[in-house]
């Protein structure tokens, strides 16, 4: 902010001496405030759309097999608690969920809107998909119609098959809560989480790990539009990436010994 004001002042001084400097600095200050409001406004819009689409698509997915089960309803309400939504936000979430259940809901249009506000940020869209997959697996089984629609959602958001497998692997290994705790995560899934083949070199594995940790850092996701209420879920995602890396590293060290 300061550098823009200084530049404006210097340019103003070169054009119109002291008075020009004041005018230039003032214009620089006005421009910075305008840009800041624009950026913050766009970020708020992205966060609001992300939450609305989360619950709308969730309602659509849960209804894909013809009915919304009690477990699926309870999962959506647990998500309200986990995201610490206030009363107004809960009403919006409920309305969005019901909108997604409606026969006339346009899933493709909803996904197109989400893609537009997410501006191609794959880590952000993968967080979205992870929430959706946890919803349709809440009752312990996934109906073929739900699975088919989930794949439609993932492809509609531009995700590759490898990215879909990564999300599924993270959910299967979701029992690990602390760095280095790998219970619940198989070695095969660990490779899927990092998106590398089992014959990848140590350097390739480490490079994939660092890239994913950078892309999924909670602060970076927040700056791209992830609602602050989803920070805890983003932190869990980075722990899962870390757990996958530690499992692969430990296994390779044991094999080399």
């Amino acid at each position: 902010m300061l550098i823009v004001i200084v530049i404006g002042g210097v340019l103003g001084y070169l054009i119109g001496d002291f008075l020009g400097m004041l005018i230039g600095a003032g214009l620089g200050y006005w421009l910075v405030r305008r840009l800041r409001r624009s950026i913050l406004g766009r970020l708020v819009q992205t966060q609001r759309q992300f939450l609305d689409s989360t619950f709308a698509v969730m309602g659509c997915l849960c209804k894909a097999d013809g009915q919304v089960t009690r477990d699926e309803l309870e999962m959506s309400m647990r998500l309200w608690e986990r995201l610490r939504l206030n009363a107004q936000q809960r009403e919006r979430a409920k309305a969005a969920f019901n909108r997604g259940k409606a026969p006339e809901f346009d899933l493709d249009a909803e996904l197109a809107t989400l893609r537009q506000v997410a501006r191609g940020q794959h880590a952000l869209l993968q967080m979205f998909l992870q929430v959706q997959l946890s919803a349709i697996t809440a009752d312990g089984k996934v109906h073929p119609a739900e699975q088919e629609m989930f794949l439609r959602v993932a492809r509609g958001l531009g995700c590759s098959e490898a990215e879909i497998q990564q999300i599924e692997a993270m959910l299967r290994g979701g029992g690990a809560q602390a760095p280095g705790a790998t219970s619940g995560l198989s070695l095969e899934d660990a490779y899927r989480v990092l998106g590398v083949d089992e014959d990848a070199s140590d350097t390739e594995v480490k490079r994939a790990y660092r890239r994913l940790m950078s892309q999924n850092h909670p602060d970076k996701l927040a700056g791209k539009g992830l609602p602050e209420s989803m920070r805890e879920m983003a932190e869990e995602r980075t722990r899962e990436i870390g757990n996958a890396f530690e499992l692969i590293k430990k296994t390779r060290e044991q094999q080399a010994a």
Side-chain angles (χ1 to χ4, degrees):
M1 177 177 177
L2 181 60
I3 187 65
V4 176
I5 296 173
V6 171
I7 291 173
V10 170
L11 291 175
Y13 181 79
L14 293 175
I15 295 172
D17 295 331
F18 183 72
L19 180 60
M21 181 183 68
L22 293 178
I23 295 174
L27 286 173
Y29 178 73
W30 173 83
L31 179 61
V32 167
R33 285 180 60 86
R34 188 178 182 87
L35 287 173
R36 179 176 290 177
R37 282 198 299 268
S38 176
I39 293 171
L40 288 176
R42 195 158 55 238
L43 184 61
V44 170
Q45 179 188 9
T46 300
Q47 292 174 339
R48 184 175 298 166
Q49 183 63 51
F50 192 92
L51 275 176
D52 283 353
S53 292
T54 292
F55 287 98
V57 173
M58 187 181 297
C60 183
L61 281 171
C62 291
K63 190 66 181 295
D65 60 351
Q67 62 178 347
V68 179
T69 67
R70 182 187 297 271
D71 288 330
E72 289 168 338
L73 281 174
E74 289 179 351
M75 188 278 169
S76 69
M77 289 187 283
R78 285 198 302 271
L79 187 57
W80 298 354
E81 298 290 341
R82 189 175 185 186
L83 299 180
R84 296 183 291 278
L85 301 185
N86 59 37
Q88 183 180 8
Q89 289 171 324
R90 291 187 183 199
E91 287 302 315
R92 285 181 62 93
K94 186 187 298 184
F97 190 87
N98 290 333
R99 178 167 63 87
K101 290 194 306 178
E104 65 274 13
F105 177 67
D106 191 337
L107 176 60
D108 293 329
E110 190 75 23
L111 296 177
T113 299
L114 181 60
R115 283 190 70 174
Q116 183 178 8
V117 299
R119 298 186 296 280
Q121 301 297 335
H122 275 283
L124 195 62
L125 296 177
Q126 285 184 326
M127 278 293 302
F128 177 87
L129 286 172
Q130 192 164 335
V131 174
Q132 302 304 326
L133 193 56
S134 66
I136 62 175
T137 57
D139 55 4
K141 57 184 181 297
V142 179
H143 191 278
E146 292 176 327
Q147 182 175 6
E148 182 180 349
M149 186 166 288
F150 174 78
L151 293 175
R152 175 183 166 188
V153 169
R155 290 167 183 149
L157 293 177
C159 292
S160 65
E161 296 300 321
E163 289 172 322
I164 296 170
Q165 291 179 5
Q166 180 192 52
I167 295 166
E168 292 173 335
M170 283 185 172
L171 281 174
R172 284 194 294 270
Q177 295 298 319
T182 55
S183 60
L185 185 68
S186 69
L187 183 60
E188 182 181 6
D189 279 343
Y191 281 105
R192 285 201 180 106
V193 168
L194 295 190
V196 295
D197 295 328
E198 293 189 22
D199 59 355
S201 67
D202 291 346
T203 299
E204 290 171 330
V205 170
K206 185 175 294 185
R207 186 183 299 124
Y209 162 70
R210 288 176 175 172
R211 183 182 67 253
L212 286 172
M213 290 296 284
S214 174
Q215 292 172 346
N216 290 276
H217 192 284
D219 290 339
K220 183 171 289 188
L221 290 176
K224 293 174 180 176
L226 184 74
E228 181 62 27
S229 55
M230 287 190 173
R231 173 176 286 273
E232 181 183 338
M233 300 178 72
E235 290 172 348
E236 284 185 6
R237 185 176 176 84
T238 57
R239 282 198 295 270
E240 289 158 2
I241 293 169
N243 289 333
F245 176 70
E246 288 299 325
L247 177 58
I248 293 172
K249 180 181 175 182
K250 182 178 179 180
T251 302
R252 290 188 172 196
E253 288 174 349
Q254 290 174 342
Q255 291 173 344

